[in-house]
Amino acid sequence: MKKMRKLKTADIFAISKILKKINIKIDAEGKSEVQFGSELLLTAFENLHLAEYEVNEFFGSLTGMTANEFSELEFEKTLEIIKEFKETSGIESFFKSAGRLTTKQ
């Protein structure tokens, strides 16, 4: 498996599309990081099936795979990739930017 590439501008739009499809609104106002993270994960897992292809395509693109190749990974490898993604520098501002694209201004 290739090393995960750095995030780029086009990824904001991919994540925005995923967040919109799974109906996640990023609103961290007045919430602790743990509360925000818990609510985000719960909503994401409840609705993840709505954006299955887009999620596989996004993570596949980060790791040099097709959506189908990513979907066929062993679960442990998928968890490693997700962990690496969570630890990406600047991930919080990345999600805030993507979240802004899913809300009406």
Side-chain angles (χ1 to χ4, degrees), residues 62-81:
L62 290 176
T63 55
M65 291 182 256
T66 66
N68 190 54
E69 289 170 332
F70 184 82
S71 73
E72 294 296 321
L73 285 177
E74 293 177 9
F75 186 64
E76 292 78 23
K77 290 186 190 289
T78 301
L79 289 177
E80 288 174 23
I81 291 168

Side-chain angles (χ1 to χ4, degrees), residues 11-20 23-28 36 40 91-105:
D11 294 326
I12 293 172
F13 301 103
I15 287 292
S16 175
K17 183 178 180 180
I18 292 168
L19 294 176
K20 187 81 163 176
N23 199 29
I24 289 184
K25 305 290 184 224
I26 306 290
D27 183 16
F36 174 71
L40 179 67
I91 195 72
E92 185 178 321
S93 64
F94 175 81
F95 271 103
K96 284 181 182 177
S97 296
R100 278 189 222 109
L101 295 174
T102 64
T103 58
K104 292 181 181 178
Q105 307 266 330

